[in-house]
Amino acid sequence: MATKKVTITIPEETHSKASALAKKAGLPFSTWLAQTAEHEVRVQEGLEAMGEWEGENGAFTDAEVAWAESQLADADAATQKNKGRSDEVA
């Protein structure tokens, strides 16, 4: 993937906290920031796609929302489990 070098301005406290999170993740600040931005892009694209789907098919049912929430909970649990394993290796 091509990259572009940019200059940003953020509050000092935000930079300090974000830098600490990047260090904890074992990543350079720019890599952590890019990954965080990429994640937000995926979230926003997913929300947009959901809105389009609902516009064409109607609102999600309570059962569909409950199913999606359970899938997200399972994915979060798996992520936390795997994160714990990588912390043990480090």
Side-chain angles (χ1 to χ4, degrees):
M1 175 190 307
T3 60
K4 179 174 179 116
K5 187 172 186 166
V6 297
T7 300
I8 62 169
T9 303
I10 59 175
E12 287 183 25
E13 185 176 353
T14 301
H15 178 264
S16 177
K17 290 178 179 180
S19 292
L21 290 170
K23 183 176 181 179
K24 184 176 180 181
L27 298 170
F29 179 73
S30 61
T31 301
W32 180 87
L33 191 59
Q35 288 179 355
T36 302
E38 289 167 2
H39 172 77
E40 183 62 22
V41 167
R42 287 191 305 275
V43 167
Q44 293 303 318
E45 288 174 343
L47 291 171
E48 185 177 325
M50 288 173 58
E52 290 173 8
W53 190 92
E54 285 186 310
E56 295 171 5
N57 301 288
F60 291 104
T61 66
D62 290 343
E64 289 169 329
V65 171
W67 176 84
E69 288 174 344
S70 73
Q71 295 297 302
L72 290 171
D74 290 348
D76 285 343
T79 298
Q80 291 303 316
K81 184 177 180 181
N82 290 334
K83 184 177 184 249
R85 288 182 184 160
S86 66
D87 289 345
E88 292 170 6
V89 174

